[in-house]
Amino acid sequence: MPSPEKPISTSISTRSLASSCLLVLGILLIAANLRAPITGVGPLLDQITAAFMLSETLAGMITTLPLIAFAIASPIAAMIAKRFGLEFSLFIAILLIGIGGASRMIEQSNWLFIGTGVIGVGIAFGNVLLPSLVKRDFPTKVALITCSYVLIMGLVSGGYASLSFPISQYNDLGWSAALASFSLLTIVSLVVWLPQLRSKTKPTIEVLECDQQSRIWQFPLAWQITLFLGLNSFLTYIIVGWLPSILVDAGYSPEKAGMIHGVFQVAAALPGIILIPLMSRLKDQRYLAFTLAMLAASASLGLLYAPQFALYWTMMVGFCSGGCFILGLSFISLRTDDQHQAASLSGMSQCFGYSLAAIGPMLAGYAFSLSGHWAAALWLCAGASIIGAMFGLGCGRNTTLRGK
């Protein structure tokens, strides 16, 4: 057996069927933790705001904090993985998510914000390192496993978003117990991941060298891709944070609003089933990117002007925002000339994109506090999508950063 101190390369061909299945289960369980702890907050945001008498701007910070953590912690993930190995670093990621989730049982505003930030760091580590693990251990199954764990992320986050409000009402458990309850799944994930700690593999070269490329910022195409992803995330996290409040304000019950919010999460995961297998066949994605972004803009305005069809608008905006996200990630590979450019562009788009997305929930909350209604927030969503559609026409061209 290789020494645990030496990096080893494992793959589906060198593993037993049982160990491969256990690894895939662990990957899917990690993925289940990478969105739900954030999306489950939305249906409970009114309760949290009332409990601590928060302004809408501060309430928006609960959704914004993880995004700030993404931007800050993503570069650190590669350094930790280089030192401790992928398996142990992913264990740390799950552990941070669990600690942050459990801290929500403490009904103090300071602990709520601290715990949310810790969750964000854990999710950032998982977002950066999980694709590297998949690429290393399942090199011939990357698209299949990526599609699978993106779908799991959507299903679990959607289910939890639908259940978080009913859980808070069950025997008057309250919002804190409802948020902390997700830690039960995190504990299961930790236990299932324990056998992987016997290995200590380094991340792929793309992750290790992502901080060594600085010239990527000079390419206009790199900025088009970054802004396409960033503006889509701007829309997505406004919806993630405020959709239940928008729907309640439009006359829906909190239970119904939470259910529709869950539909958004599931719908956002569905494009992976269609787009991931097709991306290798589509050489030019301009019109697909433009169309998805414009439909997302239309659905955002539909929530404002025809809220009686909110379920359908939510499905549309979820599907389109999920599709734009997958397109944006694909552009990172399709529009770069080598793996080093791809790693650098990935770091640029995550850092700048999440910073842009972090502004969204706070800005939407501030706009509501000024006007008393959600029209400005939904127009912000529509405007971001329209501008994103313009950038989609640029980054969807069949070219690379150096014009190849």
Side-chain angles (χ1 to χ4, degrees):
M1 181 179 295
S3 167
E5 296 302 320
K6 296 179 181 179
I8 60 176
S9 178
T10 56
S11 69
I12 193 169
S13 60
T14 59
R15 289 178 176 270
S16 69
L17 179 60
S19 63
S20 294
C21 290
L22 185 62
L23 176 58
V24 171
L25 177 60
I27 289 170
L28 296 180
L29 283 171
I30 291 175
N33 286 269
L34 297 184
R35 189 178 292 171
I38 300 174
T39 61
V41 172
L44 304 172
L45 207 50
D46 287 342
Q47 294 183 43
I48 296 170
T49 302
F52 298 124
M53 294 183 288
L54 301 176
S55 68
E56 281 76 12
T57 306
L58 276 177
M61 273 293 294
I62 300 172
T63 303
T64 293
L65 267 176
L67 304 178
I68 297 173
F70 292 172
I72 295 173
S74 292
I76 302 172
M79 292 185 289
I80 291 178
K82 185 177 181 179
R83 173 67 179 84
F84 297 104
L86 275 172
E87 291 80 6
F88 188 72
S89 299
L90 283 166
F91 182 83
I92 292 173
I94 313 169
L95 187 62
L96 288 173
I97 295 170
I99 292 171
S103 72
R104 289 169 160 177
M105 282 294 296
I106 305 172
E107 296 191 22
Q108 295 179 11
S109 59
N110 289 340
W111 279 105
L112 174 64
F113 287 107
I114 291 170
T116 300
V118 171
I119 288 171
V121 173
I123 292 176
F125 286 5
N127 282 338
V128 171
L129 300 179
L130 197 58
S132 185
L133 181 83
V134 171
K135 186 170 184 176
R136 173 179 285 279
D137 287 3
F138 300 94
T140 63
K141 307 278 186 183
V142 172
L144 174 63
I145 295 181
T146 301
C147 181
S148 299
Y149 82 63
V150 168
L151 183 59
I152 288 294
M153 285 170 62
L155 292 173
V156 173
S157 61
Y160 184 53
S162 299
L163 291 173
S164 60
F165 183 83
I167 291 173
S168 73
Q169 301 300 297
Y170 180 75
N171 287 340
D172 295 323
L173 286 175
W175 63 267
S176 60
L179 287 180
S181 66
F182 188 82
S183 296
L184 297 174
L185 180 58
T186 308
I187 292 171
V188 173
S189 305
L190 283 168
V191 172
V192 172
W193 193 250
L194 283 174
Q196 308 306 325
L197 299 184
R198 291 175 295 184
S199 302
K200 183 182 178 182
T201 60
K202 290 182 179 180
T204 54
I205 190 68
E206 293 91 335
V207 174
L208 288 176
E209 297 187 357
C210 67
D211 58 344
Q212 298 178 10
Q213 308 294 322
S214 58
R215 296 180 182 178
I216 201 77
W217 297 73
Q218 69 181 328
F219 294 103
L221 181 55
W223 281 104
Q224 292 169 2
I225 295 169
T226 296
L227 289 168
F228 180 75
L229 275 167
L231 289 165
N232 184 64
S233 295
F234 180 91
L235 154 78
T236 299
Y237 283 97
I238 289 177
I239 298 296
V240 165
W242 290 115
L243 180 61
S245 299
I246 292 169
L247 295 176
V248 168
D249 196 59
Y252 287 83
S253 68
E255 294 87 351
K256 183 72 170 178
M259 184 275 291
I260 295 176
H261 186 255
V263 168
F264 170 81
Q265 306 300 330
V266 176
L270 293 180
I273 301 173
I274 302 170
L275 291 181
I276 289 177
L278 287 179
M279 285 307 296
S280 60
R281 303 179 185 177
L282 297 174
K283 295 187 180 298
D284 188 303
Q285 299 86 22
R286 285 177 293 177
Y287 300 116
L288 179 59
F290 179 84
T291 301
L292 286 173
M294 291 302 294
L295 286 174
S298 301
S300 300
L301 295 179
L303 286 169
L304 175 62
Y305 294 110
Q308 66 271 28
F309 303 114
L311 178 61
Y312 304 104
W313 300 128
T314 300
M315 292 173 63
M316 183 186 294
V317 75
F319 185 90
C320 292
S321 66
C324 287
F325 178 67
I326 290 171
L327 277 176
L329 292 182
S330 300
F331 291 155
I332 292 173
S333 297
L334 294 172
R335 304 295 176 249
T336 49
D337 299 284
D338 54 54
Q339 63 185 16
H340 307 300
Q341 275 191 353
S344 181
L345 180 55
S346 177
M348 173 183 172
S349 62
Q350 287 195 58
C351 180
F352 187 85
Y354 281 131
S355 298
L356 179 61
I359 301 170
M362 286 193 301
L363 190 58
Y366 180 69
F368 177 81
S369 67
L370 290 179
S371 62
H373 53 77
W374 293 105
L378 290 170
W379 270 105
L380 281 172
C381 291
S385 292
I386 291 169
I387 298 171
M390 302 299 109
F391 286 117
L393 288 175
C395 57
R397 292 171 296 145
N398 183 22
T399 185
T400 63
L401 295 181
R402 296 195 181 105
K404 295 181 180 179

